[in-house]
């Protein structure tokens, strides 16, 4: 596959610029696939942030549970 751009260049484009650039390429070509990957990355960005927040909250809950368990055990 021959590509005339990099994913770094596509990240700098706005959604409209990316869509316009993508429309100039035939489906299943390297550039089209690269633009499609960039669109999917942008769509999943919110899910990624929510995932990290969920992991952080889970770790805090586990640590809190362990501390409560340790404090509850009679010495």
């Amino acid at each position: 596959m021959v590509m005339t751009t990099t994913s770094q260049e596509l990240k700098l484009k706005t959604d409209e610029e990316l869509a316009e650039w993508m429309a100039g390429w035939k489906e299943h070509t390297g550039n089209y696939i690269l633009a499609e990957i960039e669109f999917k990355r942008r769509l999943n960005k919110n899910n990624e942030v929510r995932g990290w927040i969920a992991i952080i909250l889970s770790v805090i809950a586990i640590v809190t549970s362990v501390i409560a368990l340790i404090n509850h055990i009679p010495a």
Side-chain angles (χ1 to χ4, degrees):
M1 255 187 259
V2 177
M3 293 178 277
T4 60
T5 191
T6 63
S7 58
Q8 219 33 5
E9 292 172 10
L10 295 179
K11 287 179 183 179
L12 299 175
K13 294 183 181 294
T14 65
D15 287 345
E16 292 80 16
E17 290 172 340
L18 184 60
E20 185 178 331
W21 186 86
M22 186 177 178
W25 296 97
K26 197 175 198 180
E27 277 190 57
H28 309 297
T29 60
N31 287 322
Y32 186 89
I33 292 170
L34 197 60
E36 197 171 28
I37 290 169
E38 176 59 22
F39 266 123
K40 289 179 182 179
R41 184 192 67 78
R42 291 179 187 191
L43 289 174
N44 289 326
K45 189 172 187 174
N46 292 334
N47 292 335
E48 183 179 340
V49 171
R50 274 192 297 261
W52 281 110
I53 291 171
I55 288 172
I56 291 167
L57 290 176
S58 297
V59 169
I60 291 170
I62 290 171
V63 169
T64 304
S65 298
V66 169
I67 291 171
L69 182 63
I70 291 171
N71 288 336
H72 186 66
I73 297 175

